[in-house]
């Protein structure tokens, strides 16, 4: 037992053990299905790159002559760049790292990147824990963040969230060090990490401003001189610029997407819209990504998730009064809500505090160290800004508030520090609650990946080669399954009518239509010379999808 304890508390072996656990979990994930459509677009791109033996993310377009603007590109939201390339991905760093791995072992091999990134996120969380509470060795934080937080879920899919989280959390640890014995110029390394995060995740800009700002204000408050905050801030900016410029050079050389234009475009889009009119929706979606339990109806999601958070809050205060029995009852009630929802079908848990309930303890802790107080400020101040700029209609299909993961992990670090001084019964129960919901997330990813792969296998059997999807994102989910196929994606009735014209102009005498939720298109958009000859209903991870085949009359 003592040797095992030494093993899990030795940095190198603990890191390798966590990587090994992730690797074993990844074996249960179907390589033909993913956590979301963004991963599908990456895998589609990697498959094209592998076939073309090219480092360029250009995926081409089979109907470019008939649809030169790319409105119907099968990989929805693919952009035609000024240089004539078709690019579906929004960031290059992970894609270029994944490409050689994909050539060697396909999609499963690329998971080495998020797996290592997830383990590094746990390392960074431990480093923050040791900075904010020097009396702890941080190992509880390492293992809980690694195995009982959203980090595990994002370590098993080719998304940038885990890598961005590791970089931002590592930057927090370095910058906290400048408040103590570390020299001011180490802030440049933090800036480089934040710049690396920013080339992968838009929300990194928000966290960069907040994290660096809080550290500079604390330097000014504690040292009462403007020199140190100016030095730390300048070093951070220089480090950020190094990462940013390096990425721009890579993007330029590989004809890839411009991360700078994407970020500035996001800000200008929000600024140019009627923001006041959007505040209500942004508030609702922000609330769902904070305390939502389900991906469906926002009201139901917030009510159920709010009940879970309320139970954790009551349990916390009951434990503070030494009423541990009642505290355990409350945590049991919270667990019952999770299970009741899971019995109705696994799905995304979008709420930050619901997917990682230990973060609630971070908000409630009243015995924080001064450094823990700074970390809570970073986490809380960033949230409303993230909600202001996050993409609308994206609150449901995510795990644990993917745009605000950094806030969740920072709050969790503080919560675990506060729990360490309590009687172990309630803290263990709260950790168990977090572990349970994380395992539900893992089970959902396994179920979803297999369901998506099965759907595209069935789609090949019942549809014509030329397929028109009446829901933009669904064909993105297929990843490599769609490469080389004459598919079209539409998002409106006008686009669907245009797609039918493209199908006719392509010379095909038959085409299939994918009807999301098995909802047939209005008769007015089906031309008179297109006759229905076959109809199927498939299952897309619990959603019925109609596949209808039409034949052009001679």
């Amino acid at each position: 037992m003592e040797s095992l304890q030494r093993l899990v508390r030795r940095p190198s072996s603990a890191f390798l053990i966590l990587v090994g656990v992730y690797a074993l979990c990844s074996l249960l994930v179907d390589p033909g299905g993913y956590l979301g459509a963004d991963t599908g677009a990456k895998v589609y791109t990697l498959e094209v790159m592998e076939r073309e033996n090219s480092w360029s993310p250009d995926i081409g377009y089979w109907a470019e002559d008939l649809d030169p603007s790319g409105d119907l590109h099968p990989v929805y939201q693919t952009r035609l760049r000024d240089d004539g390339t078709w690019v579906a991905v929004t960031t290059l760093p992970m894609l270029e790292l994944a490409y050689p791995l994909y050539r060697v072992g396909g999609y499963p091999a690329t998971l080495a990147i998020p797996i290592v990134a997830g383990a590094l996120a746990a390392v960074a969380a431990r480093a923050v824990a040791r900075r904010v509470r020097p009396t702890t060795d941080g190992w509880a934080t390492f293992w809980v963040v690694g195995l009982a937080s959203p980090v595990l879920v994002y370590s098993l899919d080719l998304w940038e969230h885990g890598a961005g989280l590791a970089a931002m959390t590592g930057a927090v640890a370095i910058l906290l060090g400048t408040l103590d014995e570390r020299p001011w110029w180490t802030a440049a390394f933090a800036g480089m990490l934040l710049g690396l995060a920013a080339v992968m995740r838009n929300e990194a800009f928000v966290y960069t401003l907040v994290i660096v700002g809080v550290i500079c204000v604390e330097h000014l408050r504690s040292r009462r001189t403007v020199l140190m905050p100016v030095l730390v801030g300048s070093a951070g900016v220089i480090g950020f610029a190094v990462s940013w410029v390096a990425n721009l050079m890579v993007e330029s050389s590989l004809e890839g997407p411009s991360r700078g234009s994407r970020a500035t475009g996001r800000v200008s889009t929000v600024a140019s819209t009627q923001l006041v009119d959007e505040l209500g929706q942004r508030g609702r979606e922000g609330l769902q990504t904070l305390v939502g339990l389900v991906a469906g109806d926002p009201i139901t999601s917030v009510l159920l998730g709010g009940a879970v958070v309320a139970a954790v809050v009551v349990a916390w205060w009951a434990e503070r009064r030494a009423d541990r029995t009642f505290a355990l009852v409350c945590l049991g009630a919270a667990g019952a809500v999770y299970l009741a929802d899971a019995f109705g079908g696994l799905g995304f848990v979008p709420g930050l505090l619901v997917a990682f309930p230990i973060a609630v303890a971070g908000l409630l802790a009243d015995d924080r160290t001064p450094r823990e107080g700074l970390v809570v400020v970073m986490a809380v101040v960033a949230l409303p800004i993230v909600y202001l700029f996050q993409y609308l209609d994206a609150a449901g299909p995510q795990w644990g508030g993917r745009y605000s993961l950094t806030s969740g992990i920072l709050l969790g670090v503080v919560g675990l520090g506060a729990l360490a001084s309590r009687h172990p019964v309630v803290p263990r129960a709260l950790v168990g609650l977090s572990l349970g919901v994380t395992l539900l997330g893992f089970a959902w990813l396994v179920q979803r990946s297999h369901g998506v792969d099965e759907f595209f296998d069935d789609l090949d059997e019942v549809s014509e080669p030329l397929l028109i999807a009446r829901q933009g994102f669904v064909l993105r989910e297929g990843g490599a399954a769609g490469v080389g196929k004459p598919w079209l994606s539409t998002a409106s009735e006008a686009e669907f009518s245009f797609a039918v014209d493209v199908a006719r102009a392509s010379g095909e005498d038959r085409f299939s239509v994918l009807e999301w939720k098995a909802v047939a298109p209005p008769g007015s958009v089906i031309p008179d010379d297109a006759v229905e000859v076959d109809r199927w209903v498939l299952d897309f991870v619990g959603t019925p999808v109609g596949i209808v085949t039409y034949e052009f009359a001679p």
Side-chain angles (χ1 to χ4, degrees):
M1 182 62 70
E2 290 183 3
S3 60
L4 178 60
Q5 290 180 347
R6 287 196 299 270
L7 190 65
V8 299
R9 290 173 177 267
R10 186 181 303 150
S12 58
S13 58
F15 178 84
L16 292 175
I17 290 171
L18 188 57
V19 166
V21 171
Y22 290 161
L24 289 175
C25 290
S26 72
L27 297 178
L28 299 178
V29 177
D30 193 310
Y34 322 103
L35 192 58
D38 287 351
T39 304
K42 292 187 188 73
V43 178
Y44 187 107
T45 302
L46 288 169
E47 178 67 17
V48 173
M49 291 168 66
E50 197 275 335
R51 294 187 184 188
E52 299 292 331
N53 192 27
S54 170
W55 287 84
S56 170
D58 178 17
I59 61 175
Y61 181 25
W62 71 272
E64 181 175 3
D65 292 342
L66 301 172
D67 175 27
S69 62
D71 295 333
L72 309 177
H73 198 290
V75 184
Y76 186 59
Q77 294 184 337
T78 293
R79 301 171 307 286
L80 175 61
R81 290 167 50 88
D82 293 339
D83 58 8
T85 58
W86 298 89
V87 179
V89 294
T90 59
T91 178
L92 274 183
M94 180 171 283
L95 192 76
E96 297 302 333
L97 287 174
Y99 176 50
L101 296 173
Y102 190 87
R103 289 178 63 93
V104 173
Y107 178 71
T110 67
L111 291 181
I113 299 171
I115 284 173
V116 171
L120 289 175
V123 170
R126 177 178 178 246
V128 172
R130 297 178 71 191
R131 286 287 174 195
V132 298
R133 191 175 284 252
T135 57
T136 181
D137 61 10
W139 283 116
T141 299
F142 175 86
W143 290 111
V144 171
V145 168
L147 298 176
S149 83
V151 169
L152 184 143
V153 177
Y154 288 106
S155 297
L156 304 176
D157 193 84
L158 194 62
W159 260 3
E160 295 88 353
H161 297 74
L165 173 65
M168 286 183 273
T169 308
V172 171
I174 293 173
L175 288 171
L176 286 171
T178 66
L179 296 173
D180 298 316
E181 79 285 359
R182 288 184 179 268
W184 62 266
W185 51 263
T186 57
F189 296 109
M192 293 176 68
L193 288 176
L194 291 169
L196 178 62
V199 303
M200 295 183 286
R201 302 298 316 150
N202 278 350
E203 67 271 13
F205 289 94
V206 174
Y207 283 103
T208 296
L209 291 174
V210 172
I211 292 167
V212 176
V214 169
I215 291 296
C216 288
V217 169
E218 178 61 16
H219 272 295
L220 182 62
R221 187 197 66 81
S222 60
R223 299 174 187 264
R224 302 197 181 279
T225 172
V226 298
L227 179 60
M228 184 57 72
V230 168
L231 291 174
V232 169
S234 299
V237 169
I238 292 172
F240 188 99
V242 168
S243 292
W244 189 257
V245 171
N247 181 68
L248 288 179
M249 294 173 63
V250 172
E251 289 175 348
S252 176
S253 64
L254 297 175
E255 301 177 341
S258 172
R259 194 63 183 178
S261 62
R262 177 173 169 83
T264 55
R266 183 74 204 124
V267 174
S268 63
T269 297
V270 173
S272 64
T273 57
Q274 296 178 344
L275 186 57
V276 174
D277 296 336
E278 290 184 349
L279 285 179
Q281 183 179 358
R282 290 189 177 279
R284 289 190 297 271
E285 295 200 1
L287 192 59
Q288 187 174 8
T289 54
L290 182 65
V291 296
L293 178 61
V294 296
D297 176 60
I299 296 177
T300 301
S301 178
V302 170
L303 288 176
L304 291 175
V308 170
V309 173
V312 175
V313 171
V314 174
W316 174 270
W317 291 115
E319 197 280 336
R320 291 286 287 170
R321 297 193 306 270
D323 191 350
R324 299 185 183 94
T325 300
F326 185 61
L328 291 175
V329 170
C330 291
L331 293 178
V337 176
Y338 285 118
L339 290 176
D341 176 61
F343 283 134
L346 295 174
F348 291 98
V349 174
L352 178 157
L353 299 179
V354 183
F356 192 35
I358 292 174
V360 178
L363 287 172
L364 298 175
D366 54 5
D367 56 349
R368 307 182 191 118
T369 67
R371 295 289 187 267
E372 287 176 331
L374 291 179
V375 169
V376 171
V377 170
M378 294 175 187
V380 173
V381 170
L383 287 177
I385 309 175
V386 170
Y387 297 155
L388 181 64
F389 288 96
Q390 72 180 7
Y391 290 95
L392 291 175
D393 300 319
Q398 56 175 289
W399 186 267
R402 63 188 175 104
Y403 300 124
S404 52
L405 282 176
T406 302
S407 289
I409 296 304
L410 292 179
L411 290 174
V413 169
V414 176
L416 287 165
L419 291 171
S421 61
R422 308 296 171 85
H423 188 280
V425 172
V426 173
R428 288 172 181 170
L430 187 55
V431 170
L433 191 66
S434 285
L435 177 62
V437 68
T438 300
L439 291 178
L440 289 176
F442 168 59
W444 165 236
L445 176 56
V446 172
Q447 181 189 80
R448 190 179 198 280
S449 65
H450 284 272
V452 170
D453 193 20
E454 291 172 5
F455 169 80
F456 281 94
D457 285 344
D458 293 341
L459 184 64
D460 273 343
E461 294 182 6
V462 303
S463 68
E464 294 297 317
L466 199 156
L467 174 68
I468 303 173
R470 284 178 42 79
Q471 201 271 7
F473 284 100
V474 66
L475 294 184
R476 280 171 58 108
E477 297 270 7
V483 175
K485 295 180 179 177
W487 290 353
L488 300 171
S489 292
T490 68
S492 68
E493 302 300 347
E495 287 185 355
F496 178 76
S497 296
F498 179 35
V500 174
D501 293 339
V502 169
R504 181 186 287 106
S506 70
E508 294 286 343
D509 57 1
R510 283 190 172 207
F511 66 95
S512 292
V513 176
L514 185 154
E515 301 173 350
W516 186 247
K517 296 184 178 179
V519 176
S524 59
V525 300
I526 300 295
D528 294 337
D529 63 339
V531 180
E532 180 179 327
V533 296
D534 206 354
R535 177 180 290 271
W536 297 80
V537 177
L538 305 180
D539 175 75
F540 183 88
V541 199
T543 299
V545 176
I547 306 297
V548 185
T549 298
Y550 294 88
E551 185 174 71
F552 289 116

